[in-house]
Amino acid sequence: MTNYLLIESRDGIDARDSGGFCCELATVLSRRGDRVAVFAVQNGVLSLRAGAHAPGLTKLMFAGVSVQADLFSLRERGIPVDGLAHGVVPSELGTVIDCLADGWRVIWH
Amino acid sequence: MTGKTTLTFALMDAPFESARSTTALRLLDIAAARGFDISVFAYEGAVMQTFALQRPHANTVHGRSAEEENHFLPKDAIAALFDAAKRHGGSLDWVNCGLCVDERGAGEAIAGVRRGTPADFWKMAEASHNTLVIPTRD
């Protein structure tokens, strides 16, 4: 099993130009038996608000992909932690460094 | 490769233009605080991140002086990263793509930055535990 961390920095987690990365790749890898997490940073956190139209997020959750939102990016955009969609985990950016140090395959689309 | 954690980052974004540059500097700061050995290969517009002639400016539209504006300069943040890495027992090796530097007339870099080629990026990645490429896109 390989560990993958996919970084999404653009809004529209399931938009055609970025969702092919976050949703399709993450879903395929997870179904293959790999451990997959998506880390949203910058405008990538916008899709993770509760009530945002982001069917891709449901798809990721259903596939067992962990979805994390950068706390700094949330604060910059005035998004409270309790304003995140159910299941999204607020995280420090250090998570990315931890994953790199632990040998995860980290991909920034 | 030794037991000490070494991470390589490839940057491509020019300063003052993309939130990715800010996130990249945040990542480097975290890695420096953890005492890791860090290698950075700056490609294309990213070679301007360390350009020594970056200058703060006033904002006449808002009536603020250069001091009041307190303009953020990436070169100063990167100079601080060199110090932070050393202070925490790690290191920072920053290589600017030489041809990218020449194209932009950006030869005057801050202290500690060296000139190289994409082959240096390959060597850095080979010698590191892991590598993160931060591409240009928003």
Side-chain angles (χ1 to χ4, degrees), chain B residues 126-137:
Chain B
E126 279 285 298
S128 294
H129 288 86
N130 216 335
T131 297
L132 176 63
V133 175
I134 304 178
T136 51
R137 221 185 253 182

Side-chain angles (χ1 to χ4, degrees), chain A residues 27-70:
Chain A
T27 303
V28 167
L29 290 171
S30 183
R31 285 186 184 146
R32 201 177 69 174
D34 292 317
R35 183 177 175 193
V36 187
V38 169
F39 191 93
V41 67
Q42 301 162 201
N43 282 344
V45 302
L46 294 173
S47 300
L48 307 184
R49 292 168 295 164
H53 178 70
L57 180 59
T58 309
K59 200 172 158 185
L60 288 173
M61 297 287 188
F62 189 72
V65 175
S66 159
V67 180
Q68 302 171 48
D70 174 44

Side-chain angles (χ1 to χ4, degrees), chain B residues 60-104:
Chain B
T60 52
V61 174
H62 294 116
R64 288 196 292 261
S65 66
E67 291 72 29
E68 290 167 330
E69 188 72 1
N70 194 20
H71 205 100
F72 174 79
L73 297 179
K75 71 172 176 88
D76 293 338
I78 294 164
L81 278 174
F82 277 103
D83 292 339
K86 193 175 176 183
R87 196 169 59 249
H88 290 97
S91 63
L92 173 59
D93 180 23
W94 188 295
V95 175
N96 279 341
C97 163
L99 294 182
C100 311
V101 165
D102 292 343
E103 285 171 339
R104 291 162 177 81

Side-chain angles (χ1 to χ4, degrees), chain A residues 10 42 70 98 100 104, chain B residues 20 23 26 34 130 138:
Chain A
R10 289 178 295 167
Q42 301 162 201
D70 174 44
D98 291 338
L100 283 166
W104 286 49
Chain B
R20 285 176 186 241
T23 304
R26 290 176 59 211
R34 292 186 186 176
N130 216 335
D138 261 329

Side-chain angles (χ1 to χ4, degrees), chain A residues 7 9-10 17 41-42 70 72-73 93-94 96-101 103-109, chain B residues 5 7 9 19-20 22-24 26-28 30-31 34 36 129-135 137-138:
Chain A
I7 301 174
S9 54
R10 289 178 295 167
D17 63 344
V41 67
Q42 301 162 201
D70 174 44
F72 181 85
S73 301
L93 190 65
V96 176
I97 297 297
D98 291 338
C99 287
L100 283 166
W104 286 49
R105 292 185 182 180
V106 182
I107 304 168
W108 190 334
H109 176 53
Chain B
T5 301
L7 300 178
F9 297 83
R20 285 176 186 241
T22 306
T23 304
R26 290 176 59 211
L27 285 167
L28 294 174
I30 294 166
R34 292 186 186 176
F36 293 165
H129 288 86
N130 216 335
T131 297
L132 176 63
V133 175
I134 304 178
R137 221 185 253 182
D138 261 329

